[in-house]
Structure formats: C-alpha cells, structure tokens
Amino acid sequence: MGDNGGGPTGPRCIAIVGPFQSGKTTLLEAILARTGAIGRQGTVDQGTTVGDASKEARDHRMSVEISVATTTFMGDAYTFIDCPGSVEFVHDMRAALPAVDAAIVVCEADEKKVPQLQLILRELEELNVPHLLFLNKIDKADTRLSDALRMLQPASRVPLLLRQIPTWNGEAVNGFVDLALERAFVYRENQPSEMVPLEGNVLDAEKQARFSMLETLADHDDALMEQLLEDITPPRDRVFDDLRKEMRDRQVCPMLMGVASRTNGILRLLKALRHEAPGPAQTAERLGVKAGAEAVAYVMKTYHTSHGGKLSIARVLAGQIGDSTVLQSPDDEVGRVAGVFKMLGQTQEKRGPAQAGETVALAKLDGAETGDTLSTGKTAHKALVAVKPSPPVLNIAVAARERKDDVKLGQALSKLLDEDPSITVIQNQETHEVVLWGQGEMHLRVATERLADRFGVAIERHRPSVGYRETIRKTVTQRGRHKKQSGGHGQFGDVVLEISPLPRSSGFQFSERITGGVVPRNYIPSVEEGVRDALKEGPLGFPVVDIAVALIDGSYHTVDSSDMAFRTAGRIGIVEALPQCQPVLLEPIHEVEIVCPTDATAKINAILSGRRGQILGFDTREGWPGWDAVRAQMPESEIGDLIVEVRSATAGVGTFTFKFDHMAELTGKTADQIVAARKAAA
C-alpha cells in the first residue's frame, strides 16, 4: 500500500490543528480537492466546505466540533480530523488526538497567535503525537521567514525545522524551494506547482537554509555531523531517513508553507505526510496495542444524528470491526455494531468491515463514550488514555420554555453531554435550577443552540443564582407558641428557644436543655424539624447558617399537643426571633488561580481588583516559560463572567480554576441591592 522510500503502510489518520482562524477548515477543503474527494473547493465564507457543515458552525463561521473526512492519495487511504481552534472547543481536539498518526499544525506568521500556538503544541507534546507545522497564508505574510521562525520557536519545546523557503517575485511570494529535494517550484493557483530551475540568488539562499536544516538534523545523528564537518554532501536518502526518524521521535518539528485557499503547497504537504509521518503500526505501538485477532479501537467523537441515531467515530488500531461486531469497554459491554460508515464531513457512506488503521463511524453503540477503548477479546482491553476536560469556567441556567418539555430537555441534555464531555450539568436542588457549565461564552451559546436545533427543545436561559446565605450577630431568646381550637382536639405547642451565632462555617447546631419534662421528649425532634424549616429562608430571603438553637423551656397539653403542633411552634419561634438577631448577608468567596502570558499579568491584576478580588500573589507558571499564575480570592458573584474579560485580556488563551474557600459578611449598598432583588423575585 504505497511503501515508497521506506514510508509506513496502511490507512493513515491525520489531525489538522492550530490557532483560531488560521485556516484549518480551508486546508482540509484544499486537501480534499487536491486528492479528488470533492470536485470543487468550497469556502468558509460561503458555507460550502465539507468541514464546519453543522448549522452552528455555519452560523458562527467557526469550527465548533471536529470534522472527519476520508480520502486517498497515491493509493493510500487518509482520514483527516479537522479540529476546532478556539480554546473553548479544545476538548474535541484533545479527545481525538491520542489515536492519530500525526498532526498538521496550521499557523500564521502572527505574533498575537503565538500563545494559542503554544497551547496546541503543548497538547501534542504531552500526548507524544508527531507533528509538523504548515505556515499558511504565506502570500499575506509581511515578515521574512527567518523572522517568522524566531517568532514561532518559543511556542515549541523542540526545534522548528525549515523544510522549505519561499521564493519571491518582488514583494510577493511566488513559490518555494524544497530543501530536502533541492528543487524549486512556482505556485499555480488551484493546480500543482511547477518545477523551475534552481539558480542565482535562490540557489545561494537554498544552500544556506539547507545547511542549517542539516545541522539541526545532525544534532541527533553523529554520522551526519561528521559528514558536515568534513564538507561531504550527505546522500539524499540519508536526509529523508533522518527527517522521518526525527519527526517520528518528536526531536524536530518540520515546517512547510503554502496558501490553503489556493491549494498552494498542498501536494508537497501530502508527500511529506506520506513519506515521513508514522503509520498505524507505529501509532498502535505508541499506545500499547499489540497486533492480533482481537479488535481494538479508540472512540474519538460521539454524534447523535437525527435519523441514524448514535455514531461513534473510532480509529481501529488492531483487528477488524464490521456489522454485528460486539464491542466492550473496560467498564462494560457497549453494544453490537449496527453499521460501519466512511465519513466525508456530515455525509456517511455505508462500507464493509474496517481494518486496522482505518477511521470510521460505528453505528448505534449506545454504551460507547468519547475516549473509550473498545475491544472484542474475552477480556476487555485496558483504557489506552484518560482524556479529561478542562475545568469549566462559565455557567448558565436553562429551563424548557414549556413545562411539557421538561422530560425532553433531560433527554436532550444527556445527548449533549454524550457529544461534548466538556459540558457539565448540575441540578441545583435548592434553587431548582438546571445549570450548564462550559468552557466559555461561545461554547455555552453553541450548546444551547444545539438543544434547540439538533434536539428540538426550546429553552430559556438566565444567570444562575449565587449561593448567598445569611447569619446572625446577636443572641436572642424567643418563645414560639402555636395554639388552635376548632372543635374536638385542638393544637397546642409551646417552646422557648435560645438562638445564638456560631463561628463561620459551623453550619447549624440544635440542642435541648429541658428540665422537668415541660416539653415531652417525643416532641423534641419535631421542634428541631420546625426550626430547620424556618432556617431555609431567613428575613433577608436566604438560607440561614452558622447558628445554634437551644430548646430551653416550653409547655404542652396532654390532649391537644402533637408532633405537628410542636413543629409549628419551633418554626414560629425562629421566624419571630431572626429579625431581632441582627441578620447579615453572607456571600461565598472562592480562591481563584488565573494562568496567563506574562505580558498580560498587569491587566489580570486590574481585572481582579475591579471585581472585588483580593490578590494573594503570583508566580511563574511551572513548566510554562513566559506565563504567570495569579492567585486571588474573590466573590462568587464576580466570577460569573470573569472568563470573558480574562480571554479578552490574553488574546483568548488565559483561563482559571476556582474552588470555594469561605463565606464572608457583605454589608452596605451591594448587600441592600441583593436583598431587594431577592424580595422582588419572590
């Protein structure tokens, strides 16, 4: 299957990744056009691309989930996974990457996007995925390649290795020189480049750039280093062997260039992948999968289609998977395959069994989840990787617009979580709110659009309630008396309660100091129940905490007293006492850690101060040169849309984590406004 020059055999799976709006979807379109999978190259602006075909992607003109497309090149099958570039949708990329053979990192010569590039390269580096850079939009670059290389290098932990240099016609790039082949080419729009003589100033530039490339390769090849020191020209095959080995071993990151919108540089990119990227055997070895009769596959993505049901995009790493194959995960059986499909964007084509290396859609595996390792052996194959979403940073509360759709909303949310594990759904029992947590403003917007468009549930959304509480500052003794006579047995309960404040975070304590049986012991639990009922909402409108209540006296009636009467008396005593106890509002305070590029740290400090944050300090981010980690304490109410400002101040790359720390008293105008809003909503 196309060995050619010692390259790997078998169907290849290649991820296309890169910063937001670097041209990834356009590159996929160019590859599909160049390989004949589509007749004409579409554009993102016109909404005619194979990738980004969902309504949400079309509406926002951005990738919001992976797009999968299989094609052939020089006799080999290739499946390309076009991944979103926005940090808000990074989990889709993260879940797909472990099982790919290599990644094309699409980037631009744009200094503002270097932090985004660093985030993506770090994901690839930590997963040990071989990768190369494709410097896109080279026709619009306003900087020389040597300057672009210096600009981009800090984003990568390994050396960026120039594989090509551009040729110029005046101020415009008109072609390139392949430093490994030592050949020059001129771009032709939407056609293969044309080879031209390598001569003059271009030849001089090629010799210098090629020597620099060989020097970098020689850092990991002593024999090549000796040849360079002795001024011996290394054989071309030796150069290609080194390029292949050092890319696969992640010792270098080759850098190619082109213009995806014109298909310039696409053929050379595909040939580099064919000859130098690892194949399925090497990927299976990297993941610890042994070849054999047992089928092993990794689930990259889950979709719920309107007609075909659930689809699991899976890379087969060993064995064969076809119709009716029964698969299991390490946790449980996931189901019987109801069909195997080749993917081209949102188009599925039924096909035969999938062999090792192929990337396909498996139908109706109801128990399979994104990130699962599936297998057919008697014993389930161990999980290949554990892919965890980033902690969520923004939330909204959602509700079905019509009550009759409540059950339908629950089912839709289940499917939404299946498709996107980076969303978290929390049912707040206290406020009766369904709260969606996500990775940012656009992430949650797309999630709610999917609920309406894909799953057919009209919803309303609002900001979730903040977990305010109230407590007291003063001790009060209060009688609670419930007496009611209405013919026959009446109701009688009489208690005296001592209500006093407790230290912060103590919660609620109930005790009794009854003497002489003035309140029979069997009624004391009912008094406590009544007290607890009353503390669910204090005079300010919020649950009351950090309070001690002691039952110290009371009286009863042998006929009219009952559990219900004493429960009511306990509630009355608390309701009448709390306004006298100097109630005060408590707001939750969280400890927040924001990570950001160092040049944005001052902006982050200003944002924190403007949101009533108390800055605790900052330090360099461990393992991340050029980044800081800022720690602060801030109210939960101020964290609400904090991520919007953080992303704005950090070119989209800053993020934060937070955890509850303590409750703090809140007084003054802000507290008055919160209490007034609560009463108005009641």
Side-chain angles (χ1 to χ4, degrees), residues 650-661:
T650 60
V653 297
T655 191
F656 65 86
T657 55
F658 63 96
K659 61 181 180 180
F660 173 77
D661 191 76

Side-chain angles (χ1 to χ4, degrees), residues 300-374:
M300 296 174 147
K301 175 70 178 176
T302 302
Y303 292 103
H304 286 273
T305 63
S306 53
H307 303 296
K310 184 173 179 175
L311 285 179
S312 301
I313 307 299
R315 177 92 194 272
V316 182
L317 296 160
Q320 173 181 293
I321 296 176
D323 282 10
S324 300
T325 299
V326 176
L327 293 167
Q328 59 186 329
S329 72
D331 298 325
D332 202 0
E333 184 175 304
V334 298
R336 185 183 299 272
V337 175
V340 181
F341 296 88
K342 171 185 173 182
M343 298 290 290
L344 189 70
Q346 292 201 322
T347 303
Q348 301 120 37
E349 179 185 323
K350 191 85 161 59
R351 49 155 291 165
Q355 311 296 328
E358 293 188 295
T359 305
V360 294
L362 305 175
K364 298 184 179 178
L365 292 176
D366 292 337
E369 297 180 355
T370 300
D372 273 355
T373 300
L374 308 181

